Amino acid sequence: MILQTQTTQTTQHTQQTRYERSPRLRADVALLTGRDGHLLRVGETHHHVHLARAEGDQLVEALATGATPEGAGARAALEALVDAGLVDPAPAHHTVVGEGLLAEALAAALVRMGSRVGPGGTPVVARDDDSDLPATGVACWISGDRVLLAPPAVPAVDVAARRRAATAHRDTEPLTRPVPGGRHVASSVLVPPAGLELAATTVAAELLRRDRPSHEAVTVDLHHLTVARRPVLPVPPEPR
């Protein structure tokens, strides 16, 4: 896309022009249909967009609706505007796999952050426990009083295995084991609402990061409302 700069003062007529609201154009940026083609206004500066009228119209339609233009020229122009920081990238598309509190909260958090949520997106497994985690792909889950998000380069099953190994002594210590047949009571609130909201928001933000570390697991404490990031490696294979 070739832009020819024309610095002009915005006229009263331009100020009265009605603009459709684009879900992707940055603030103080507009694409106009002029007498000699299309103009990109950035602040008070106008740039002539060298596109055929039909492809310029496709670009306007794409910015107005959030769709992808059909013409190669219009697509290239849209990509150039994204690279220039004048247009937001296309919203991410995720498919939340799972049923339960965490899956529901995560889907809502992704929508609030502008992500598309539904079939055909990048799968994200969200479980309320660690009993059915995938060997590959993105996954988060509730483990006791924490929510964990596996890093991109480490399978969720390996992260869960390392956590179980690190906390196994709590279940085997004789003084802390429940007495069989004894009476026991625990809180009826399994997942505190504030903790669940923090966990869902944190996981959603991590999924939308472009520079997410490949070996950094994210842990959200549901009760203390804290977030920790720690390096983690895959579990090595058993020796043959």
Side-chain angles (χ1 to χ4, degrees):
M1 179 179 67
I2 301 175
L3 300 177
Q4 178 182 338
T5 304
Q6 300 176 348
T7 303
T8 60
Q9 293 296 319
T10 304
T11 64
Q12 184 67 23
H13 174 73
T14 301
Q15 292 176 350
Q16 293 175 350
T17 301
R18 292 185 60 186
Y19 291 88
E20 296 181 61
R21 296 301 176 186
S22 170
R24 295 184 60 184
L25 272 172
R26 296 288 175 89
D28 207 20
V29 179
L31 185 61
L32 326 175
T33 302
R35 291 177 301 177
D36 299 324
H38 293 84
L39 297 170
L40 182 72
R41 177 174 60 77
V42 182
E44 297 296 331
T45 303
H46 291 71
H47 308 273
H48 182 69
V49 181
H50 290 270
L51 284 175
R53 172 70 70 168
E55 290 202 320
D57 290 341
Q58 287 184 22
L59 181 59
V60 172
E61 176 68 15
L63 291 172
T65 63
T68 301
E70 296 181 0
R75 286 199 305 273
L78 182 57
E79 292 173 1
L81 292 175
V82 172
D83 293 340
L86 302 176
V87 173
D88 290 327
H93 184 188
H94 293 93
T95 301
V96 178
V97 180
E99 297 179 355
L101 295 174
L102 183 59
E104 183 178 347
L106 176 58
L110 285 167
V111 170
R112 289 197 303 272
M113 293 185 182
S115 177
R116 293 171 55 206
V117 176
T122 302
V124 180
V125 175
R127 304 288 191 211
D128 284 355
D129 56 50
D130 62 359
S131 61
D132 187 24
L133 296 176
T136 60
V138 183
C140 59
W141 63 99
I142 299 175
S143 177
D145 59 355
R146 287 168 169 76
V147 167
L148 287 86
L149 171 65
V154 183
V157 290
D158 285 5
V159 177
R162 287 191 178 279
R163 174 164 171 76
R164 282 194 294 269
T167 58
H169 65 281
R170 299 175 188 172
D171 298 326
T172 57
E173 174 61 43
L175 293 178
T176 59
R177 271 185 301 186
V179 177
R183 188 178 181 187
H184 317 292
V185 65
S187 172
S188 61
V189 180
L190 300 181
V191 182
L196 180 63
E197 181 64 23
L198 174 62
T201 302
T202 300
V203 171
E206 289 292 320
L207 296 178
L208 297 175
R209 284 181 61 181
R210 293 189 171 189
D211 59 345
R212 190 172 158 223
S214 59
H215 289 83
E216 185 180 82
V218 178
T219 304
V220 180
D221 189 311
L222 294 170
H223 296 283
H224 294 94
L225 305 181
T226 57
V227 179
R229 294 173 171 83
R230 297 185 177 89
V232 62
L233 296 174
V235 175
E238 296 182 5
R240 296 181 177 179

PDB file of all heavy atoms in Angstrom, residues 18 26 74 100 122 124-125 183 190:
ATOM      1  N   ARG A  18     -20.653  11.897   9.151  1.00  0.00           N
ATOM      2  CA  ARG A  18     -20.938  10.769  10.037  1.00  0.00           C
ATOM      3  C   ARG A  18     -20.014   9.608   9.695  1.00  0.00           C
ATOM      4  O   ARG A  18     -19.882   9.235   8.529  1.00  0.00           O
ATOM      5  CB  ARG A  18     -22.398  10.331   9.890  1.00  0.00           C
ATOM      6  CG  ARG A  18     -23.404  11.344  10.409  1.00  0.00           C
ATOM      7  CD  ARG A  18     -24.807  10.787  10.344  1.00  0.00           C
ATOM      8  NE  ARG A  18     -24.930   9.571  11.146  1.00  0.00           N
ATOM      9  CZ  ARG A  18     -26.022   8.812  11.185  1.00  0.00           C
ATOM     10  NH1 ARG A  18     -27.091   9.144  10.457  1.00  0.00           N
ATOM     11  NH2 ARG A  18     -26.058   7.735  11.936  1.00  0.00           N
ATOM     12  N   ARG A  26      -7.489   2.450  15.332  1.00  0.00           N
ATOM     13  CA  ARG A  26      -7.032   3.104  16.548  1.00  0.00           C
ATOM     14  C   ARG A  26      -7.667   4.492  16.685  1.00  0.00           C
ATOM     15  O   ARG A  26      -8.177   5.062  15.720  1.00  0.00           O
ATOM     16  CB  ARG A  26      -5.502   3.229  16.534  1.00  0.00           C
ATOM     17  CG  ARG A  26      -4.778   1.885  16.545  1.00  0.00           C
ATOM     18  CD  ARG A  26      -4.865   1.194  17.885  1.00  0.00           C
ATOM     19  NE  ARG A  26      -4.280  -0.138  17.880  1.00  0.00           N
ATOM     20  CZ  ARG A  26      -2.997  -0.389  18.138  1.00  0.00           C
ATOM     21  NH1 ARG A  26      -2.176   0.599  18.404  1.00  0.00           N
ATOM     22  NH2 ARG A  26      -2.556  -1.630  18.134  1.00  0.00           N
ATOM     23  N   ALA A  74      -6.486  -5.044  -1.019  1.00  0.00           N
ATOM     24  CA  ALA A  74      -7.127  -4.580   0.209  1.00  0.00           C
ATOM     25  C   ALA A  74      -6.584  -5.325   1.423  1.00  0.00           C
ATOM     26  O   ALA A  74      -6.370  -4.734   2.491  1.00  0.00           O
ATOM     27  CB  ALA A  74      -8.642  -4.757   0.110  1.00  0.00           C
ATOM     28  N   GLY A 100     -17.664 -26.509  33.632  1.00  0.00           N
ATOM     29  CA  GLY A 100     -17.393 -26.249  35.033  1.00  0.00           C
ATOM     30  C   GLY A 100     -17.150 -24.779  35.286  1.00  0.00           C
ATOM     31  O   GLY A 100     -17.284 -23.929  34.400  1.00  0.00           O
ATOM     32  N   THR A 122      -8.660 -21.578  18.575  1.00  0.00           N
ATOM     33  CA  THR A 122      -7.585 -22.317  19.221  1.00  0.00           C
ATOM     34  C   THR A 122      -8.116 -22.985  20.484  1.00  0.00           C
ATOM     35  O   THR A 122      -8.640 -22.300  21.366  1.00  0.00           O
ATOM     36  CB  THR A 122      -6.434 -21.367  19.603  1.00  0.00           C
ATOM     37  OG1 THR A 122      -5.959 -20.711  18.437  1.00  0.00           O
ATOM     38  CG2 THR A 122      -5.301 -22.117  20.266  1.00  0.00           C
ATOM     39  N   VAL A 124      -8.599 -24.386  24.093  1.00  0.00           N
ATOM     40  CA  VAL A 124      -8.056 -24.148  25.427  1.00  0.00           C
ATOM     41  C   VAL A 124      -8.841 -25.043  26.387  1.00  0.00           C
ATOM     42  O   VAL A 124     -10.045 -24.859  26.575  1.00  0.00           O
ATOM     43  CB  VAL A 124      -8.198 -22.678  25.860  1.00  0.00           C
ATOM     44  CG1 VAL A 124      -7.616 -22.488  27.261  1.00  0.00           C
ATOM     45  CG2 VAL A 124      -7.537 -21.747  24.866  1.00  0.00           C
ATOM     46  N   VAL A 125      -8.173 -26.020  26.970  1.00  0.00           N
ATOM     47  CA  VAL A 125      -8.821 -26.935  27.906  1.00  0.00           C
ATOM     48  C   VAL A 125      -8.846 -26.279  29.283  1.00  0.00           C
ATOM     49  O   VAL A 125      -7.817 -25.806  29.775  1.00  0.00           O
ATOM     50  CB  VAL A 125      -8.077 -28.281  27.961  1.00  0.00           C
ATOM     51  CG1 VAL A 125      -8.688 -29.184  29.031  1.00  0.00           C
ATOM     52  CG2 VAL A 125      -8.127 -28.963  26.592  1.00  0.00           C
ATOM     53  N   ARG A 183     -14.940 -37.660  61.896  1.00  0.00           N
ATOM     54  CA  ARG A 183     -15.811 -36.640  61.334  1.00  0.00           C
ATOM     55  C   ARG A 183     -14.952 -35.471  60.862  1.00  0.00           C
ATOM     56  O   ARG A 183     -14.102 -34.968  61.603  1.00  0.00           O
ATOM     57  CB  ARG A 183     -16.802 -36.155  62.390  1.00  0.00           C
ATOM     58  CG  ARG A 183     -17.877 -35.233  61.830  1.00  0.00           C
ATOM     59  CD  ARG A 183     -18.852 -34.817  62.917  1.00  0.00           C
ATOM     60  NE  ARG A 183     -19.897 -33.952  62.380  1.00  0.00           N
ATOM     61  CZ  ARG A 183     -20.807 -33.331  63.125  1.00  0.00           C
ATOM     62  NH1 ARG A 183     -20.779 -33.489  64.451  1.00  0.00           N
ATOM     63  NH2 ARG A 183     -21.719 -32.574  62.563  1.00  0.00           N
ATOM     64  N   LEU A 190     -16.076 -23.983  47.447  1.00  0.00           N
ATOM     65  CA  LEU A 190     -14.918 -24.679  46.900  1.00  0.00           C
ATOM     66  C   LEU A 190     -13.989 -23.728  46.167  1.00  0.00           C
ATOM     67  O   LEU A 190     -12.767 -23.873  46.207  1.00  0.00           O
ATOM     68  CB  LEU A 190     -15.388 -25.799  45.966  1.00  0.00           C
ATOM     69  CG  LEU A 190     -16.262 -26.871  46.633  1.00  0.00           C
ATOM     70  CD1 LEU A 190     -16.655 -27.934  45.618  1.00  0.00           C
ATOM     71  CD2 LEU A 190     -15.535 -27.494  47.809  1.00  0.00           C
TER      72      LEU A 190
END
